[in-house]
Amino acid sequence: MRTVKRFMAAALAACLLTPAAAFAEETAADTSVKYFTIDQAIEYAKENNLDLIAKRESEEYERLNNEAVRVATKNAHKSDYGVSSISGYLLSGGYNYEATQTSYRVAKRNTIKAEANLESTVKQAFYKCVNQKKKITLAQESLSSANDRLSYANVKFNSGMISQLDVQNFELAVSKAQNELNTQQRTFDEYILSLKTVINYPLDKNIDVTGSFERVPMDTTSLEDARIKMESSIDRANIDDSYKLSETKFKYYSAYYTSNLYEYQAAKYELSAAKANYQNNLNSLETGLTSAYHQLQSIYESLDYLDASLKYSEATARAAKLRYEMGMMTADDYNTTVQQLDSVKNTIADTELNAYAVNEAYRQLFANTNTVTK
């Protein structure tokens, strides 16, 4: 009997403790951090990004629609329905099937392009987080340096070598460095939130990134070679398919209607508009490619300048330290010189990240080669 009572008491205690234990476990899970590498982030995004999922569903819809129209076209050939109306003529003549084939091809290409664009977007969002960690480290180093300068200033002040005003200047430098560190940490939180949005990760869950980001070399594809490659791109294939379909539609309308009828003139106008749109799209591809190429040259020229500026700022900061210690420079000038060095370092980190984005934008214009022809 005592054994039974002990068993029941233990069971009751377990029941009472289970909700609390479950809550504690859930709380621990909520505060845990999921670490992503770049490859893991891309894989997660491809499985969960809603825009990409929609593109895949659109592709499947166009496939089924194309198959349904193929069957309808085959059945229309077996009847005399084909010439009784323009809709019947388009169906039995094969235009509708050609149109749905085109839509299916475009949908397949758009899925491929969406995957490539998503991968590029994830990489940029991911590297923004990694690069921001680098900027946080720079801010921490700046704060440490500011504290060191303040400590040295206090020693000089206690020795009667500088005024209280100089000490306050160094205190302000520490405050500014601390504010910069706080800002960089908040920016990192914002970038992590953006990454979660891109990969469609729950916003209330914690993630972090692992890996490194280094300056990428400039894409060496010449503008002329890029133009040639762009002729085989997905964007160009979609533009060409759209215009060819417009030409085909006019061919059917001009065969069905005489030129004095409204329907014929409407179809002719539609073809003219399609031709203008076709040329505008080609011009847009060209201007976009040229602009991206020029941006690529400019941003790497900026990096060359910043590299030289960094060397100069480092030498100036070293000289400023010596001059201040020798009493030949004010505290304000000394702190300003060191802060200029910090600014150059941060600008380089930002520009390296922008250079990666510009590289990607340029490459995406011609790298997505069309492989869908049916």
Side-chain angles (χ1 to χ4, degrees):
M1 186 68 178
R2 290 179 180 176
T3 303
V4 174
K5 286 182 177 180
R6 282 198 299 268
F7 174 78
M8 292 178 65
L12 178 60
C15 290
L16 292 173
L17 288 173
T18 296
F23 177 76
E25 184 178 347
E26 183 180 348
T27 302
D30 287 345
T31 58
S32 64
V33 178
K34 166 73 174 176
Y35 287 88
F36 279 95
T37 65
I38 181 62
D39 291 335
Q40 290 169 338
I42 292 171
E43 181 182 0
Y44 189 92
K46 286 185 176 181
E47 292 175 356
N48 296 279
N49 181 270
L50 297 180
D51 290 335
L52 181 56
I53 291 172
K55 283 288 191 298
R56 290 169 179 156
E57 291 175 350
S58 174
E59 179 183 337
E60 177 62 10
Y61 163 77
E62 294 296 349
R63 184 188 71 80
L64 294 173
N65 189 43
N66 179 233
E67 177 60 21
V69 173
R70 184 191 68 79
V71 173
T73 301
K74 183 178 179 181
N75 292 335
H77 280 307
K78 297 177 180 179
S79 68
D80 58 355
Y81 168 70
V83 295
S84 60
S85 66
I86 184 61
S87 59
Y89 181 66
L90 294 176
L91 176 64
S92 62
Y95 170 78
N96 289 0
Y97 180 56
E98 185 173 343
T100 58
Q101 273 189 315
T102 299
S103 296
Y104 182 35
R105 280 198 305 271
V106 170
K108 287 191 286 186
R109 292 183 193 129
N110 286 343
T111 300
I112 295 171
K113 184 180 177 183
E115 286 190 4
N117 288 345
L118 177 60
E119 182 173 334
S120 178
T121 301
V122 171
K123 285 181 178 179
Q124 292 185 51
F126 185 93
Y127 288 138
K128 283 178 77 173
C129 296
V130 174
N131 192 60
Q132 191 59 28
K133 283 189 171 184
K134 182 192 297 184
K135 294 186 68 176
I136 289 174
T137 299
L138 289 174
Q140 290 169 337
E141 292 172 352
S142 297
L143 178 58
S144 177
S145 174
N147 277 312
D148 289 343
R149 295 196 303 276
L150 176 59
S151 296
Y152 180 68
N154 279 322
V155 170
K156 295 186 72 174
F157 174 73
N158 292 332
S159 301
M161 299 173 65
I162 61 174
S163 68
Q164 181 66 45
L165 193 61
D166 276 357
V167 175
Q168 290 176 351
N169 193 290
F170 284 102
E171 289 173 343
L172 286 172
V174 170
S175 179
K176 182 176 181 180
Q178 182 63 64
N179 290 344
E180 178 65 18
L181 175 58
N182 295 342
T183 298
Q184 299 298 355
Q185 289 171 332
R186 284 190 284 266
T187 301
F188 175 75
D189 292 340
E190 292 174 7
Y191 288 168
I192 285 290
L193 186 63
S194 296
L195 176 61
K196 286 193 283 189
T197 301
V198 169
I199 67 176
N200 197 30
Y201 194 84
L203 298 184
D204 60 339
K205 304 296 182 182
N206 297 319
I207 69 169
D208 202 347
V209 294
T210 61
S212 61
F213 174 76
E214 303 297 335
R215 182 184 303 185
V216 295
M218 183 175 70
D219 192 305
T220 57
T221 305
S222 69
L223 184 57
E224 187 57 37
D225 286 344
R227 287 193 182 103
I228 294 172
K229 290 182 178 181
M230 195 167 64
E231 293 291 320
S232 303
S233 68
I234 285 178
D235 286 336
R236 178 59 190 267
N238 284 347
I239 291 171
D240 288 344
D241 264 2
S242 177
Y243 182 61
K244 287 176 184 176
L245 187 62
S246 296
E247 288 183 317
T248 301
K249 183 178 181 180
F250 178 71
K251 183 167 63 177
Y252 276 85
Y253 269 73
S254 61
Y256 193 84
Y257 294 109
T258 57
S259 60
N260 63 321
L261 293 177
Y262 163 79
E263 290 83 355
Y264 175 93
Q265 293 300 324
K268 185 177 180 181
Y269 167 74
E270 187 177 323
L271 178 62
S272 296
K275 186 174 183 179
N277 191 50
Y278 174 72
Q279 189 59 54
N280 288 336
N281 286 333
L282 292 184
N283 292 343
S284 180
L285 284 182
E286 170 62 25
T287 55
L289 182 67
T290 302
S291 176
Y293 178 79
H294 289 160
Q295 289 179 33
L296 191 66
Q297 309 307 307
S298 296
I299 200 161
Y300 278 90
E301 288 171 358
S302 295
L303 281 174
D304 289 341
Y305 166 78
L306 287 169
D307 288 341
S309 180
L310 177 61
K311 292 179 180 179
Y312 174 79
S313 296
E314 288 173 336
T316 301
R318 288 193 297 268
K321 184 176 184 294
L322 291 174
R323 293 183 67 191
Y324 177 74
E325 290 174 351
M326 296 172 63
M328 300 172 62
M329 177 177 274
T330 66
D332 185 56
D333 287 343
Y334 178 31
N335 282 320
T336 298
T337 302
V338 175
Q339 288 164 0
Q340 286 174 344
L341 173 60
D342 294 339
S343 177
V344 171
K345 289 179 180 179
N346 274 290
T347 302
I348 287 176
D350 288 336
T351 307
E352 285 177 337
L353 186 65
N354 290 337
Y356 174 81
V358 172
N359 250 311
E360 280 290 292
Y362 178 58
R363 187 182 63 82
Q364 286 289 328
L365 289 171
F366 58 81
N368 294 326
T369 304
N370 173 44
T371 58
V372 180
T373 56
K374 294 183 179 180

